[in-house]
Amino acid sequence: MKQTNKLFQKEFSLKFPLSAINRKTIVLLTVFILLLTCTITGCGSNSQQQSTLPVTEPIPIETPAQEESTQETQNQSVPEQPDMEQPSQAEDNQSQFSPSTPSVPEEVEAETETVAPSPDVSSSPSYLGTWQITSSTFGAYSAMSEEDCSALMGTRFEYFNDYAIYDNQHRLDSPQYIESILTADDFSSIYQGTSLETLGISKDSIQVVAIENASGIGDTFYIKDENTLIIPWDGVFFEVQRVSSDS
């Protein structure tokens, strides 16, 4: 038994230092391998430097064909602007070759600018309408008798723009009324002493209306007022009153 124990101790003493040496060498080898891998792979500071470096894009290299295509696309995308100076040049050329128009005098221009006032169509002459004999007055010289005058009482006269009826139903289409002013002295000289005062007219003048191309009693009349006319015939002055107006 003693011999076996001694042998066991010898073997254990020989094996133990080998195992210890092997452990140290293994640890050192692993550390050496780690350091070697770090230096080779550049871990630590190298990785940080690589991460902080800016990333630069590669510069594209254009070929001549690509440059031509880009220029064509630019030319197509930009619309051509019209030449705005051409109309002005055409106007200048036209003004040079066009004949000069004569200047209009200022007096003619002033006449063209002044517009004549339009006549008042709504206002019609006061003598238009239907009239009827109501009384008569003999003048200084007369060719009619009282019976002839009384026979004409109630005779009607129609004076309108379209037609005129006078002298016992004589009709004239589209009559032309000629208006004028007669003074009191001229009236007395025409009718040989019969004055306007004799007819109850206290005026210096009176308006007379004659129907053109008419002949007979009622072809001429004097306007006493708006509702009274004086029709002379054969030295007798017939007073007619308005029956109705043109409206």
Side-chain angles (χ1 to χ4, degrees):
M1 288 293 292
K2 290 179 180 182
Q3 290 179 355
T4 56
N5 288 331
K6 287 179 180 180
L7 289 170
F8 178 76
Q9 288 177 356
K10 286 180 181 180
E11 289 177 359
F12 181 76
S13 61
L14 289 171
K15 290 179 180 179
F16 180 76
L18 283 172
S19 62
I21 291 167
N22 290 330
R23 288 177 183 175
K24 287 181 181 181
T25 55
I26 290 167
V27 171
L28 291 172
L29 286 172
T30 53
V31 172
F32 178 77
I33 291 167
L34 288 173
L35 290 173
L36 184 61
T37 53
C38 286
T39 54
I40 291 169
T41 55
C43 60
S45 64
N46 289 328
S47 63
Q48 290 178 0
Q49 289 179 359
Q50 288 179 359
S51 62
T52 55
L53 288 174
V55 178
T56 57
E57 295 180 355
I59 298 171
I61 298 172
E62 295 182 356
T63 60
Q66 290 179 354
E67 290 181 355
E68 291 178 357
S69 63
T70 53
Q71 288 180 359
E72 289 179 357
T73 54
Q74 288 177 1
N75 294 326
Q76 291 178 359
S77 62
V78 178
E80 294 183 355
Q81 296 181 355
D83 191 2
M84 301 301 290
E85 295 180 355
Q86 291 180 357
S88 61
Q89 293 178 358
E91 291 177 357
D92 293 337
N93 295 327
Q94 187 175 2
S95 62
Q96 290 177 1
F97 292 102
S98 61
S100 60
T101 55
S103 61
V104 181
E106 294 180 356
E107 295 180 356
V108 177
E109 291 180 356
E111 291 178 0
T112 56
E113 289 179 357
T114 58
V115 180
S118 59
D120 190 1
V121 180
S122 61
S123 63
S124 58
S126 61
Y127 52 82
L128 297 182
T130 303
W131 306 84
Q132 186 176 11
I133 295 177
T134 58
S135 62
S136 62
T137 301
F138 284 87
Y141 301 93
S142 176
M144 294 184 70
S145 63
E146 292 183 357
E147 293 178 355
D148 294 334
C149 291
S150 61
L152 293 174
M153 290 296 157
T155 303
R156 289 197 173 191
F157 303 89
E158 296 182 12
Y159 302 118
F160 295 99
N161 290 321
D162 298 333
Y163 67 94
I165 296 177
Y166 63 98
D167 192 15
N168 295 328
Q169 306 300 319
H170 287 183
R171 181 186 176 98
L172 179 65
D173 293 329
S174 301
Q176 298 295 323
Y177 300 100
I178 302 172
E179 301 176 1
S180 60
I181 301 296
L182 193 66
T183 63
D185 296 336
D186 293 338
F187 185 87
S188 297
S189 64
I190 291 171
Y191 295 104
Q192 298 180 359
T194 303
S195 63
L196 293 177
E197 293 179 355
T198 305
L199 302 177
I201 301 171
S202 59
K203 295 179 181 179
D204 296 334
S205 62
I206 190 171
Q207 185 177 2
V208 58
V209 179
I211 304 175
E212 189 176 1
N213 298 326
S215 178
I217 183 172
D219 59 353
T220 302
F221 55 87
Y222 295 90
I223 300 174
K224 185 176 182 179
D225 53 47
E226 291 182 357
N227 297 315
T228 308
L229 301 179
I230 302 295
I231 295 177
W233 187 252
D234 288 344
V236 179
F237 299 92
F238 295 94
E239 188 172 282
V240 296
Q241 297 291 326
R242 184 188 297 275
V243 176
S244 64
S245 61
D246 60 340
S247 58

